[in-house]
Amino acid sequence: MTKIIDASLLSKMIISGANNLSNNRELVDALNVFPVPDGDTGTNMSLTFINAAKSVESMDITDVTEVINAVAKATLRGARGNSGVILSQIFRGISKNIESTDGICAEELKKALRGGCDTAYRAVMKPTEGTILTVIRAGAETAEAYDGEDAFELLEKVCLGMADALKQTQEMLPQLKQAGVVDAGGQGLLFIFEGFLAAVNGEGISLADSSFASSVNKPAQSSINTEDIKFAYCTEFIINKYDAKKSADKMRAAIEPKGDCMIVIDEDDIVKVHIHTNHPGYVLEQAVKLGEMVNIKIENMREQHTDILNGASAKEEAKPLAEHRETAVVSVANGDGLISIFTELGVTNIIHGGQTMNPSTEDILNAIEEANADNVFILPNNKNIVLAAQQAAEIAECNAIVIESKTIPQGICAMMEFSPTASPEENAENMTDALSNVTSGNVTYAVKDTEMDGIEIHEGDYIGVSGGHIVSDDKDLATATIELVKEIADEDSEIITLYFGEGETEETAQAIADAIEESFPDADILVANGGQSVYYYIVAVE
């Protein structure tokens, strides 16, 4: 009997695939080639696809096209990082090639996989083999080679073809072979499809850690007797940790006696907090010791008891739109110092995020809408946010223009060329040209032992990174920073700026600047407080 994938089974597949990836996201994160604390491919892909699972869980299943279209829409708006954007494009292409309402047969599944592959390749300006693109292409080609009529059997063969291609990614990209890993995005995609196959075989995969999935949406409120509310303020926020390795246990213990209905989800560098308390100020004071807080929401439950009694996650009140203007700029940044710099340069809306905290397409789209302008420039300031920014710009109703800044210094240089009175075309040209005026570098720490770019690196070393290469490594932070500058600056360099991050002081930064001046006496050496996480220093050379 010919087997097809009906709407009910497709929903189970989506949920199983999302669960399988979520259960294995740390493994995918660990496949990061660079030994730096930004291996977030698994987390980004999982957060992206959990949105798909949530969308089908909450809908009345009617036909296949409604299910797959909901998946495409959810992944498009929830996409985080380049891997998440490419994943969303795969399912966008799949959705456009499924027309049957009753069920997906083998022939339609072939067509859908080819559509997903082609759409993903078109979404990337310079497609690179040995990545997630190779894996989806292998899946499409395996499907096209199948001459049977059983969609279940076809999916099994697709998974085998993807697995073989994933192994080959190590041979396609030297950096993968050197690090002894396969491509992280490709592995994430395979986990999703293996989850699909498990559901098809009647063994759908359950979520091992429900707290991670629940962190995508607001935690459900506890049912409250409004006649006798002991703790009046429903307090929610997200903490972007200063140190991803630091546990939230101390903060949890400090705030627990101050309320009830407490939920603290500690997930790597992000902590999601919900508590009912009479002392929200105390709770925030404890939280700020752990990291930078965003999405703070405090509601008086005595006044807003109706929504809470319903047990629903109330939507955050829409932020008031800015006064309508002709041109605005939104920028991604984290750290009080960097946020202040961008604001002073004329950025109208800040999207909190950056390394290890990639905002979603919807986060960026919301910032564009809040800017309330005819023309909105977007500064991603990180190579892993560019695709999400471009995707948001395509959806936006205004004229949204992405300036492809891949580092914070590039974003700052672009803003120095921005003029609110210039035409959109002039600003786009001037801001884009400014990106090439600066060379950027970052200093962070190694999260594992490895050898890269001819440098033997040990876990815990301080490393300088520039242009996708590790250019310095030392047990001493100052030495690693100075060596980074020596690698990216030369005798023609005019300005060298050190943006020091959280945990560093202006005194230590100035001492490093003084040492740099000895090697570059003709350059102006500047020090600025960035307050950024992950990187001890961001270096700009102009």
Side-chain angles (χ1 to χ4, degrees):
M1 184 178 76
T2 301
K3 295 179 180 178
I4 64 171
I5 299 170
D6 62 19
S8 177
L9 177 56
L10 180 58
S11 293
K12 293 175 182 176
M13 289 167 60
I14 298 301
I15 294 168
S16 180
N19 290 347
N20 196 38
L21 176 57
S22 181
N23 293 345
N24 291 281
R25 68 186 183 281
E26 291 182 358
L27 187 155
V28 178
D29 284 344
L31 293 175
N32 184 36
V33 173
F34 260 48
V36 296
D38 66 350
D40 51 7
T41 299
T43 298
N44 280 340
M45 291 184 72
S46 187
L47 288 171
T48 299
F49 209 64
I50 282 174
N51 276 296
K54 295 288 184 184
S55 72
V56 300
E57 280 179 334
S58 61
M59 69 184 296
D60 293 328
I61 299 172
T62 55
D63 62 51
V64 167
T65 55
E66 285 195 10
V67 173
I68 197 63
N69 287 339
V71 169
K73 181 179 179 180
T75 54
L76 180 73
R77 297 183 74 92
R80 295 174 187 269
N82 292 343
S83 56
V85 172
I86 294 173
L87 180 65
S88 74
Q89 291 298 313
I90 289 172
F91 282 92
R92 180 184 182 188
I94 288 175
S95 71
K96 289 182 178 296
N97 287 276
I98 292 179
E99 299 175 353
S100 300
T101 58
D102 297 332
I104 304 171
C105 64
E107 282 303 313
E108 192 162 35
L109 183 54
K110 291 181 185 180
K111 181 181 176 183
L113 289 171
R114 170 50 63 187
C117 172
D118 292 347
T119 302
Y121 268 86
R122 286 195 297 269
V124 181
M125 185 174 295
K126 295 181 180 179
T128 301
E129 295 301 332
T131 65
I132 185 175
L133 295 174
T134 298
V135 176
I136 186 58
R137 178 171 56 79
E141 291 174 350
T142 301
E144 290 167 337
Y146 177 71
D147 58 4
E149 298 180 353
D150 188 334
F152 291 13
E153 182 180 47
L154 172 57
L155 184 60
E156 181 177 7
K157 291 185 179 298
V158 166
C159 286
L160 291 173
M162 285 182 166
D164 286 341
L166 181 64
K167 294 176 185 176
Q168 293 304 311
T169 60
Q170 198 174 95
E171 302 301 321
M172 297 178 182
L173 292 176
Q175 57 267 43
L176 294 178
K177 189 168 187 177
Q178 184 179 18
V181 297
V182 295
D183 178 67
Q187 179 66 79
L189 183 65
L190 180 59
F191 278 134
I192 290 174
F193 272 78
E194 287 177 340
F196 291 171
L197 183 61
V200 162
N201 291 332
E203 302 171 349
I205 295 171
S206 300
L207 194 63
D209 179 9
S210 60
S211 66
F212 178 76
S214 67
S215 69
V216 175
N217 297 319
K218 291 186 181 301
Q221 308 292 337
S222 300
S223 181
I224 297 172
N225 179 357
T226 57
E227 296 178 359
D228 185 20
I229 296 176
K230 183 178 180 182
F231 298 103
Y233 297 97
C234 176
T235 304
E236 299 181 62
F237 51 88
I238 294 173
I239 304 172
N240 294 323
K241 288 184 184 178
Y242 297 136
D243 182 354
K245 296 180 180 179
K246 191 170 183 178
S247 169
D249 289 347
K250 186 175 180 180
M251 183 210 67
R252 183 189 286 111
I255 68 174
E256 186 172 13
K258 297 294 184 181
D260 64 5
C261 300
M262 184 179 77
I263 301 174
V264 177
I265 302 168
D266 188 355
E267 189 60 44
D268 297 330
D269 58 342
I270 294 176
V271 182
K272 180 99 177 195
V273 180
H274 167 268
I275 188 171
H276 296 170
T277 181
N278 287 328
H279 304 283
Y282 174 84
V283 172
L284 298 181
E285 286 177 7
Q286 300 306 310
V288 78
K289 297 176 183 178
L290 187 62
E292 182 182 77
M293 289 179 293
V294 296
N295 295 350
I296 301 171
K297 179 168 170 273
I298 301 173
E299 290 182 341
N300 187 325
M301 294 186 293
R302 294 189 178 101
E303 294 181 358
Q304 301 187 9
H305 59 84
T306 303
D307 289 339
I308 297 175
L309 271 177
N310 291 335
S313 298
K315 284 188 176 181
E316 294 220 21
E317 293 184 11
K319 293 182 181 179
L321 293 178
E323 183 178 346
H324 184 77
R325 67 190 82 194
E326 182 177 347
T327 303
V329 183
V330 300
S331 175
V332 179
N334 94 86
D336 291 343
L338 293 178
I339 290 171
S340 294
I341 290 170
F342 278 111
T343 302
E344 290 170 4
L345 288 172
V347 169
T348 48
N349 294 71
I350 295 290
I351 306 166
H352 292 267
Q355 206 68 23
T356 75
M357 297 178 289
N358 298 155
S360 67
T361 296
E362 187 159 26
D363 291 334
I364 300 171
L365 183 61
N366 288 341
I368 294 172
E369 293 173 349
E370 289 161 12
N372 194 22
D374 297 327
N375 307 287
V376 178
F377 291 92
I378 310 162
L379 295 171
N381 300 335
N382 186 293
K383 63 181 177 60
N384 206 34
I385 302 175
V386 171
L387 286 182
Q390 292 172 336
Q391 192 153 270
E394 291 177 8
I395 301 172
E397 296 182 0
C398 66
N399 178 33
I401 305 163
V402 178
I403 305 300
E404 295 184 24
S405 54
K406 297 178 181 179
T407 67
I408 288 292
Q410 282 191 333
I412 291 172
C413 280
M415 278 309 300
M416 294 179 77
E417 296 299 323
F418 170 75
S419 170
T421 59
S423 69
E425 295 76 15
E426 289 173 326
N427 271 324
E429 181 178 356
N430 293 339
M431 294 170 77
T432 299
D433 288 346
L435 302 182
S436 60
N437 294 339
V438 62
T439 302
S440 308
N442 306 303
V443 182
T444 185
Y445 62 92
V447 297
K448 59 184 177 182
D449 295 343
T450 189
E451 183 176 338
M452 185 167 290
D453 297 320
I455 300 175
E456 186 174 337
I457 299 163
H458 300 284
E459 182 178 350
D461 285 1
Y462 297 105
I463 52 179
V465 183
S466 180
H469 298 280
I470 294 174
V471 298
S472 69
D473 170 87
D474 204 273
K475 299 293 184 184
D476 179 67
L477 175 58
T479 302
T481 306
I482 294 167
E483 291 302 316
L484 166 66
V485 174
K486 287 181 178 179
E487 288 292 330
I488 64 176
D490 57 32
E491 59 184 13
D492 295 325
S493 300
E494 298 178 355
I495 304 172
I496 300 173
T497 306
L498 299 180
Y499 299 95
F500 60 92
E502 59 189 13
E504 294 302 296
T505 66
E506 186 170 358
E507 289 73 22
T508 56
Q510 189 58 56
I512 294 174
D514 292 342
I516 292 171
E517 189 172 14
E518 295 179 6
S519 298
F520 300 94
D522 295 330
D524 291 329
I525 316 297
L526 308 178
V527 169
N529 180 8
Q532 70 276 358
S533 59
V534 182
Y535 296 128
Y536 300 102
Y537 290 96
I538 295 174
V539 180
V541 178
E542 303 173 63

